[in-house]
């Protein structure tokens, strides 16, 4: 069983900062990547940022947050962080963390399975 737990959401004023954390634990054969999606009311879930746990930690950042958000990892702790600066009201959403994990049976055979956290609310007031 795998657990993905987020923390760090909250209420902040426009221009403020928040740092989200996400830790994966449990039966993990190989952790491939982790990242963050967000979903605002009435909108589809969208990718915010992702990071490879190995392979140099390559990142993928959405254009809407590039230059304001940074994703980083602590590979030893199976943890990723999302540093969010210069927040805007349009960043208001529930932020969901995922962990892409290989099992013994799937490593090298198919894609990693994504496990999701419960979500954390980020609200930016104008």
């Amino acid at each position: 069983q795998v657990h993905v737990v987020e923390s760090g959401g909250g209420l902040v004023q426009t221009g403020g900062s928040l740092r989200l954390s996400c830790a994966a634990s449990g039966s993990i054969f190989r952790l491939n990547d982790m990242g963050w999606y967000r979903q605002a009311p009435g909108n589809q879930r969208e990718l915010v940022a992702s990071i490879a746990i190995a392979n140099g930690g390559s990142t993928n950042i959405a254009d809407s947050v590039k230059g304001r958000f940074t994703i980083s990892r602590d590979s030893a702790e199976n943890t990723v962080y999302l540093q969010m600066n210069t927040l805007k009201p349009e960043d208001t959403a529930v932020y969901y963390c995922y962990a892409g994990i290989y099992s013994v049976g799937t490593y090298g055979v198919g894609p990693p399975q994504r496990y999701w956290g419960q979500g954390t609310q980020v609200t930016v007031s104008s």
Side-chain angles (χ1 to χ4, degrees), residues 40-115:
N43 291 355
Q44 290 187 332
R45 191 175 292 193
E46 61 175 357
L47 175 68
V48 177
S50 64
I51 186 167
I53 300 303
N55 299 326
S58 61
T59 62
N60 182 24
I61 310 292
D63 288 342
S64 59
V65 304
K66 201 166 291 184
R68 300 188 296 122
F69 291 13
T70 303
I71 188 169
S72 60
R73 77 199 193 284
D74 182 338
S75 300
E77 299 295 330
N78 291 344
T79 299
V80 293
Y81 306 96
L82 185 68
Q83 179 65 44
M84 305 185 294
N85 298 327
T86 319
L87 282 160
K88 305 175 181 180
E90 50 263 45
D91 295 318
T92 295
V94 178
Y95 284 69
Y96 296 92
C97 176
Y98 79 88
I101 295 171
Y102 285 107
S103 66
V104 173
T106 61
Y107 181 61
V109 177
Q113 181 174 348
R114 284 190 172 181
Y115 294 85

Side-chain angles (χ1 to χ4, degrees), residues 15-27:
S17 298
L18 282 174
R19 189 193 196 206
L20 305 183
S21 301
C22 175
S25 63
S27 301

